[in-house]
């Protein structure tokens, strides 16, 4: 670590008044527009779902290349990556007695059941820890059984309930496989009470059993019936196919200098919905923000690079591929910011920079306050696609969006355009514009992020 | 008509204070219990969906006979009717370009598409009237086309938006068949923005084309894409099967006299959800109300007869069968009341009686006011199953429930137990108890309903 006194003696990165003034002007211009919803609509109506390796993902790349060009971006190109390909197929489940259909959806990466399905008694556990406790008492407790994880995701503004509940989705199928279980059902990781299950990735870096998410009302039913001793039949026709060629799609607003300010979102989506919120909204927000930055009175000092990442949902190959391909160029990355939490308003700002970034991020926070942004944090989260740049020293800027409603729709068939409030989304555009207008045009820098423990996303 | 002066000279049906007092006591007892939700849960968890002619409907009849007996009803029996049998099968739809899946569900009674589906250009119209206007200008306007009805149901407390929007569901497939069209899609008749379509009956008393409801987000998408000129492929595997034996299930609390007070709800449901609101709630409300009436300090003057009707959803054979079988007994039916609008609180009271019923219904309204019931109407609605008794002179009593949320779930997969607030439902039980305690025990009568134009339900 650099000694504290030396850190304090660094000249603070002052943001000149004309840069602040221009950022405020562009921020307010963003609020007066409705451009982001048009971009999301173009993507969701014209392409729709775009799961990695699918025809939709290919159509989305073509859409992105053409859209970036038509929006006036420069240096529009694709940067090849390879991504996993997993297909859903049939998904059916029922309780055998009393005979009741269960609405389920396979977790991404799940292996199929045998043809005709599998059948087993159901053991209910709250979460991974409860499973561990159960197995400690009886190592054979779930052998030949279907394990049902019942944990309920808590609705919170910061989305922290997701991080807590998602462990059963990520690791349940490995844990149950290790214990000799037959299959996994989880209560959907989501906050809606609708009869639509929420998919999502599961870890497949080891033996796993077939795994599916159950809609909330069906999870309620299963939980009520557990004391009766019930059996379930589960049929999943999903398939893992060979990896498929894909690409991150990149475009730039050229700056006068060498440095780059990265704005990211991910182009892929799950297959059930239309990926309007996840992450069509992020795509719409950053593209509209970058478009508005073109209205600046002069060319910015730094290049604004938009990156539409491949395969965020089930592999992160796009984010990892970008970091690998651009490792040598990492020192010219002045900052990175990713939008991937829907379309609701920004209420907080977090930054992970070198110590000399403090004055600039303070100035940015002042610019965000008129938008209703009230919370300020150091360090903190960054998107899954840009976090591989942290070990390379790239400063991270994060805009925290209100996630109270996001997990009602996230990863479900309900992720559709109507769930977006265009005015709310435009506030997020204005926030991205304010942040980027400062970091792309200020004379000083945010420094470099010191080495730290790798993040577990 | 009876001359007005003669009507006024009839002695008013005064409700004695002890009857009012007992009704108030039982009403308040109902509020202190939670019995209705337990009955609904027993039905939805133990049986689930129970579409006419299905195994579920058969299981529901067995459940009803056993539940009525265990709740202490007398004269528990089944009264045979025959009901239509229609099965759903596969249902798939997609827009061909841009290729987008549409979430659809067949309307009850729809014929299947040819194997492999049908395909056609889509013509959008707002409603039946718009279709008539279009055809007046060009009789060939929908020939060989799929007609998409776009009308949006309005959310209202009294549910009146349903009556307006449902015409396209009932009659669209006949109108389009008559105009040489290929198939019908309708925007779901419902108020939810979830990606779950709402089924419901369509008229099949003439040539019809295959017809399906589209979820609200998919209807939005279709509507946005209409100007591009789109084609849809639709595949429905539904089947009309031979009529099936069924029955209304009846139980009684025997009164000291000959007269009968009828409490009704319907036992059948659509197949997509679990029929918790439609009409498990009605079943729970009237059975719990009747159970609470057993706590009266003395036997009531009139028999309280609960009737769980068959086949309300797609044929009304239960209600018609009851009226036919009991026509000779109609004069001893002192009143009928059906609960079939979910589980939310009662806010209004309507009555259709002879003129001598005015004092009693005024007294009932006073008993309902402490429950928050503020609206009073004459005539008005009655349930589909009891309305065939109107031409037989049977007085109708109606409790208007708040229907603001009901059509979010109605006829969709989302009609599940978690959508019921047990406290709200118990208020409705208390209202049924208050009404019934008066009409079953007062010395006077509600008179007879004068002949009137048949209702169109």
């Amino acid at each position: 670590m650099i000694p504290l006194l030396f850190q304090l003696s660094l000249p603070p990165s002052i943001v000149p008044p004309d840069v602040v003034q221009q950022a405020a002007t562009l921020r307010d211009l963003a609020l007066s527009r409705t451009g982001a919803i048009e971009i999301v609509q173009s993507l969701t109506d014209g392409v729709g779902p775009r799961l990695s390796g699918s025809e939709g993902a290919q159509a989305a790349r073509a859409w992105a290349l053409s859209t970036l060009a038509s929006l006036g971006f420069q240096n529009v190109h694709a940067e090849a990556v390879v991504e996993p390909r997993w297909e859903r197929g049939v998904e059916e489940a029922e309780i055998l007695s009393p005979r009741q259909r269960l609405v389920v959806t396979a977790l991404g990466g799940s292996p199929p059941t045998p043809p005709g399905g599998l059948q087993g008694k159901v053991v209910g556990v709250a979460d991974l820890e409860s499973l561990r406790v159960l197995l400690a008492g009886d190592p054979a407790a779930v052998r030949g059984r279907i394990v049902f994880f019942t944990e309920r995701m808590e609705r919170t503004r910061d989305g922290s309930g997701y991080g807590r509940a998602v462990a059963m989705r990520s690791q349940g199928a490995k844990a149950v496989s290790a214990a000799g279980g037959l299959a996994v059902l989880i209560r959907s990781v989501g906050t809606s009470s609708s009869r639509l299950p929420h998919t999502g990735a599961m870890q497949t870096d080891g033996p796993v059993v077939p795994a599916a998410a159950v809609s909330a009302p069906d999870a309620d039913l299963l939980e009520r019936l557990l004391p009766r001793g019930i059996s379930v039949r589960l049929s999943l026709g999903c398939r893992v196919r060979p990896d498929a060629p894909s690409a991150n799609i990149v475009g730039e607003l050229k700056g006068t200098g060498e440095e780059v300010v990265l704005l990211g979102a991910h182009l892929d989506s799950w297959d059930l919905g239309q990926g309007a919120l996840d992450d069509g909204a992020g795509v719409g927000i950053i593209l509209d923000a970058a478009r508005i930055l073109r209205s600046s009175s002069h060319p910015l000092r730094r290049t604004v690079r938009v990156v539409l990442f491949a395969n965020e949902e089930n592999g992160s190959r796009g984010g990892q591929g970008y970091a690998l391909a651009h490792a040598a160029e990492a020192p010219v990355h002045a900052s990175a910011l990713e939008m991937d939490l829907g379309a609701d308003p920004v209420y907080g700002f977090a930054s992970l920079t070198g110590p000399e970034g403090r004055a600039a991020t303070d100035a940015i926070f002042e610019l965000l306050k008129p938008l209703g942004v009230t919370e300020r944090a150091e360090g903190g989260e960054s998107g899954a696609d840009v976090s591989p740049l942290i070990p390379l020293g790239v400063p991270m800027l994060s805009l925290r969006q209100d996630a109270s409603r996001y997990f009602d729709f996230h990863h479900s068939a309900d992720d559709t355009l109507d769930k977006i409030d265009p005015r709310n989304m435009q506030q997020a555009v204005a926030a991205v514009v304010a942040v980027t207008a400062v970091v792309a045009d200020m004379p000083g820098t945010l420094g470099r992020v010191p080495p730290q423990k790798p993040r577990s996303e």
Side-chain angles (χ1 to χ4, degrees), chain A residues 50 79 155 179 202 244 247 253 269 275 282 284 292 329 365 412 426 447 456:
Chain A
R50 43 201 184 274
E79 300 187 355
R155 186 187 297 275
M202 59 185 245
L253 304 182
S269 78
I292 285 164
E329 196 201 17
F365 185 47
S412 83
Q426 211 62 28
S456 59

Side-chain angles (χ1 to χ4, degrees), chain A residues 39 51 57 91 97 170 207 213 232 242 263 289 294 344 389-390 415 434:
Chain A
I39 294 168
L51 182 62
E91 37 198 25
S97 174
S170 304
V232 160
L263 295 181
R294 287 176 54 208
D344 274 342
L389 297 172
I390 297 176
D415 184 355

